[in-house]
Amino acid sequence: SDEDTIVRAAHQGLKVLFDIKSVFFFLYDNEKKGLICKTTEEKNSSFIDDNIVIPMEADKSLLTSSLTQGKPLESFTGFADAKPIIIDEQIIRFVNKEGILCIPMLAHGDYVGVIVLGLDQVELSHLSKHSMLLNMFSNNVALALHVDQVRRNQLNRIQSERLAASLYMARKVVHEVNNPL
């Protein structure tokens, strides 16, 4: 029903369907033009929290590259020609796995975010057998998050229109009070 619930349900779904425990969601924020980490567990002393923003200009990052290219990228072969950037190294170190798999979430051509999975090489080879199911799963999560975003934008627009209408009526009443017949 809301962004937090959708992210928690997607996290639980990835655990159940694919037996993946290290899952992070980085959702696209249009105002900040970047990816913001959306945590699903209680806050702890980790560096990953809702304050991390990865700017889309960080084009060498696996996360932003995956989103802009619209295809899954992984760190096992993704860095063949260059060294990973610091944020990618920190995420890999934080998940305490051999690498990460970044799955883009796009809905109707709009950026929604990236699912980051912490994996070992063996887990990646096992997961590659289920790539179709994983893509369908990420597409459904992206659509659910996109619908929630559209709903929130419509509610904000309606609230601002109501506020503008009430201000107009208040001005009209004040004008009539100040100008008796």
Side-chain angles (χ1 to χ4, degrees), residues 25-178:
F25 293 85
F26 286 82
L27 302 181
Y28 180 72
D29 187 323
N30 197 29
E31 292 174 7
K32 295 181 181 177
K33 300 288 187 223
L35 296 170
I36 299 177
C37 183
K38 190 72 177 169
T39 56
T40 56
E41 273 125 45
E42 291 84 38
K43 303 285 187 228
N44 54 20
S45 60
S46 69
F47 82 98
I48 295 193
D49 62 11
D50 293 338
N51 297 322
I52 290 186
V53 177
I54 300 173
M56 291 304 287
E57 293 83 37
D59 58 352
K60 294 195 169 111
S61 169
L62 274 177
L63 284 76
T64 57
S65 296
S66 174
L67 187 59
T68 56
Q69 294 174 20
K71 64 181 184 179
L73 297 176
E74 37 88 9
S75 63
F76 299 97
T77 59
F79 298 126
D81 57 343
K83 190 168 171 41
I85 68 168
I86 292 173
I87 190 69
D88 292 341
E89 285 180 342
Q90 288 177 333
I91 292 171
I92 292 168
R93 202 170 309 127
F94 178 75
V95 297
N96 200 22
K97 295 285 187 171
E98 293 174 8
I100 57 175
L101 172 64
C102 301
I103 304 162
M105 293 188 292
L106 300 165
H108 305 294
D110 294 335
Y111 294 155
V112 176
V114 178
I115 302 173
V116 178
L117 308 175
L119 304 168
D120 292 326
Q121 186 72 40
V122 174
E123 292 172 313
L124 179 66
S125 63
H126 173 71
L127 196 60
S128 65
K129 296 173 188 170
H130 304 289
S131 62
M132 293 281 288
L133 179 61
L134 187 59
N135 284 335
M136 286 186 343
F137 183 85
S138 66
N139 288 339
N140 284 331
V141 172
L143 283 173
L145 288 168
H146 183 70
V147 166
D148 178 63
Q149 179 66 35
V150 168
R151 182 186 56 80
R152 281 187 286 137
N153 288 343
Q154 286 177 338
L155 285 175
N156 288 341
R157 185 181 49 79
I158 289 169
Q159 284 179 337
S160 65
E161 288 174 0
R162 283 183 183 167
L163 180 62
S166 63
L167 286 174
Y168 173 75
M169 289 302 293
R171 281 192 210 116
K172 201 170 184 180
V173 168
V174 168
H175 175 73
E176 292 300 323
V177 168
N178 287 334

